[in-house]
Amino acid sequence: MSAINKEYKRVTVKSLVEMKSNNEKISMLTAYDYTMAKIVDSAGIDVILVGDSASNVMAGHETTLPITLDQMIYHASGVVRAARRALIVVDLPFGSYQSDAKEALRSSIRIMKESGGHAVKLEGGKEIKDSIKKILNAGIPVMGHLGLTPQSIYKFGTYTVRAKEDEEAKKLIEDALFLQKSGCFAIVLEKVPAKLAKRVAEKLTIPVIGIGAGNGVDGQVLVLHDLLGMTHEFNPRFLRRYLNLHDLMTEAVGNYITDVKAVDFPNESEQY
Ligand code: KIV
């Protein structure tokens, strides 16, 4: 707990840029519901991402593509009701911003109005420049997302490390600079070589938050259910598990079943 800087009463997009200039690393985690967000927020996290990874983690889809805008707003609303300190960033889901800038703005306005989130995140660089401009012009803060962009999984074909080749690395740097110039307040860099991520973080004045991008960036993000060890079949190299909640929960549920079958639960003090 001592590593938490309580100076940021409500973390804002401005405080994140200050953290970067003060060399203070930014902590970010996903959350998709009230109860988990309350725990994560009271632990002192800087940013809660209502990620479209809810599509995998909460709904059991293979990819992030099926989750809808209505579903993202539902998840984000619970998180907003829970969090007192963290900045809340909400993913624009696949199909809610790619077709044109007006639709991107409409989707972002719905997120801000109906969930109460503080910012939106979207995947891509120059190819979505009109959408980014339109959203920012409406006063909505935008976080970029480069490297492995899971909404384009069918274009990539795999979830392997991105930008290992010079050409892709060069495009990634150009896109990062472009997102900064456009007015994005931060960028997520997913699954790229640590050296490249460090280079990007050094080139930019806005924070670069990494996942599978090494420790030379300005902050880290993980999916909460991965960190807690609930998704035990998912084992990427970048993941550090802080708990084995899968086994702990399985054991707890098993004990409950045993107690029910043995008529040991409820006992006398647990009834009226
Ligand atoms: O949806 C998500 O959880 C994300 C993180 C992996 C950055 O975009």
Side-chain angles (χ1 to χ4, degrees), residues 28 30 32 49 51-54 64 91 121 123 145 188 190 211 221 223:
M28 172 160 144
T30 64
Y32 319 103
L49 172 66
D52 59 358
S53 50
T64 57
D91 263 339
K121 174 165 86 58
E123 298 181 4
H145 185 153
V188 164
E190 180 164 355
I211 174 163
V221 56
V223 168

Side-chain angles (χ1 to χ4, degrees), residues 12-259:
T12 62
V13 295
K14 208 166 148 251
S15 19
L16 295 190
V17 179
E18 277 168 30
M19 286 182 202
K20 172 158 180 155
S21 46
N22 295 337
N23 279 324
E24 182 188 346
K25 297 286 184 189
I26 296 163
S27 61
M28 172 160 144
L29 273 177
T30 64
Y32 319 103
D33 64 45
Y34 176 86
T35 305
M36 292 294 229
K38 208 161 178 60
I39 295 170
V40 166
D41 185 65
S42 56
I45 203 79
D46 297 315
V47 185
I48 296 180
L49 172 66
V50 185
D52 59 358
S53 50
S55 178
N56 313 108
V57 175
M58 303 302 286
H61 292 297
E62 208 171 297
T63 72
T64 57
L65 275 68
I67 199 160
T68 66
L69 186 57
D70 285 338
Q71 288 165 341
M72 288 303 298
I73 290 170
Y74 169 78
H75 287 298
S77 305
V79 171
V80 169
R81 282 191 285 276
R84 295 282 164 268
R85 180 179 178 276
L87 176 81
I88 300 162
V89 180
V90 184
D91 263 339
L92 279 166
F94 177 69
S96 72
Y97 64 96
Q98 288 93 343
S99 64
D100 66 53
K102 276 191 187 158
E103 195 196 10
L105 177 60
R106 264 197 303 275
S107 304
S108 304
I109 288 177
R110 280 202 60 203
I111 285 179
M112 302 299 280
K113 248 182 158 29
E114 295 176 38
S115 78
H118 308 140
V120 297
K121 174 165 86 58
L122 70 182
E123 298 181 4
K126 279 196 187 110
E127 63 280 8
I128 49 162
K129 65 176 191 309
D130 295 340
S131 297
I132 293 174
K133 201 167 153 211
K134 195 99 183 153
I135 300 168
L136 284 166
N137 281 346
I140 301 171
V142 175
M143 178 180 267
H145 185 153
L146 297 172
L148 175 66
T149 46
Q151 292 179 9
S152 307
I153 184 58
Y154 291 115
K155 186 173 104 186
F156 297 143
T158 78
Y159 286 102
T160 53
V161 182
R162 305 299 311 170
K164 287 211 292 207
E165 307 303 329
D166 286 351
E167 202 179 320
E168 199 183 336
K170 189 167 161 269
K171 182 179 180 319
L172 188 142
I173 293 172
E174 281 168 14
D175 275 338
L177 287 166
F178 170 79
L179 292 176
Q180 169 170 280
K181 198 164 160 230
S182 304
C184 290
F185 70 91
I187 293 174
V188 164
L189 260 193
E190 180 164 355
K191 242 180 159 181
V192 299
K195 256 194 188 163
L196 171 65
K198 185 168 186 285
R199 244 180 97 198
V200 174
E202 284 167 356
K203 273 184 182 289
L204 300 192
T205 54
I206 59 170
V208 174
I209 300 176
I211 174 163
N215 66 10
V217 289
D218 307 304
Q220 299 293 330
V221 56
L222 282 177
V223 168
L224 179 63
H225 293 62
D226 297 340
L227 168 152
L228 295 175
M230 296 171 91
T231 50
H232 73 308
E233 59 296 306
F234 180 61
N235 282 305
R237 188 208 289 205
F238 67 77
L239 174 61
R240 184 180 295 180
R241 289 214 168 84
Y242 288 82
L243 260 186
N244 183 346
L245 213 46
H246 173 272
D247 287 2
L248 287 171
M249 287 177 75
T250 307
E251 194 184 330
V253 173
N255 290 341
Y256 166 74
I257 295 167
T258 304
D259 290 351

